[in-house]
Amino acid sequence: MRMKAVAYSIKPFEKEFLAKANQKKHDITLISNSLSLDTVVFSEGKKAVIVLTTDDVSAPVIEKLAKLGIKFIIAGSVGTDHIDKEAAASYNIKIANVPSYSCQPDLTNADLQETANQTIKSLDLWQQNRCLGDACICARNCDLYNND
């Protein structure tokens, strides 16, 4: 069974890295629009959203995501300050991030591929109801996942 996800704020050059990491395991819609109250509708019918630090993952957006059935948020970054973790927890939405990547100002192709790999790994583990280990930054207990 494939996890359905939508990736927001995707630049043309990032598509290749996600496609290579995904290997057609999951049904991922790639869009260039950033996540906002106006674009949250693109999440309809999906279980996960993939976001960047420029996306709006505030409480009002998370509320709409939850109403659309989103269960998982993956930050394609180490930082998660842009995500309202309390709002996500209140709707039982799980969150993962990229545990680390190069601190260089410009990300290399290797950094971009590792970010894509970690994103897909998060989808893989969630699909298996498994914890994400060091990448897990859930506001609640991440030891056990369920898909209620």
Side-chain angles (χ1 to χ4, degrees):
M1 185 168 161
R2 297 159 52 114
M3 175 90 66
K4 289 187 176 188
V6 58
Y8 286 92
S9 302
I10 297 298
K11 294 172 183 52
F13 67 88
E14 294 171 312
K15 292 178 182 181
E16 169 189 345
F17 297 104
L18 272 171
K20 183 177 176 183
N22 187 32
Q23 299 178 15
K24 299 184 181 182
K25 290 187 280 185
H26 304 287
D27 180 6
I28 304 174
T29 302
L30 306 174
I31 61 173
S32 60
N33 304 69
S34 60
L35 177 60
S36 68
L37 284 171
D38 294 330
T39 62
V40 74
V41 68
F42 296 128
S43 300
E44 190 169 3
K46 314 292 188 211
K47 287 189 88 171
V49 294
I50 301 165
V51 299
L52 297 177
T53 56
T54 55
D55 291 304
D56 178 359
V57 200
S58 62
V61 172
I62 288 174
E63 179 181 3
K64 284 192 170 196
L65 288 170
K67 287 180 181 177
L68 290 171
I70 295 299
K71 302 287 185 192
F72 311 105
I73 297 171
I74 300 172
S77 61
V78 174
T80 58
D81 293 344
H82 62 294
I83 300 172
D84 189 323
K85 289 179 272 307
E86 288 183 25
S90 72
Y91 290 104
N92 257 347
I93 295 175
K94 314 298 189 269
I95 303 170
N97 66 324
V98 177
S100 67
Y101 52 74
S102 169
C103 293
Q104 301 300 321
D106 295 321
L107 294 177
T108 65
N109 283 351
D111 293 327
L112 291 168
Q113 190 61 63
E114 183 54 35
T115 299
N117 291 346
Q118 181 61 46
T119 298
I120 300 306
K121 180 179 178 184
S122 295
L123 290 175
D124 291 344
L125 291 173
W126 277 331
Q127 186 177 24
Q128 300 165 19
N129 292 323
R130 294 180 51 205
C131 187
L132 299 172
D134 294 339
C136 182
I137 52 89
C138 300
R140 294 189 178 172
N141 185 352
C142 290
D143 292 336
L144 298 173
Y145 283 120
N146 61 47
N147 287 328
D148 328 278

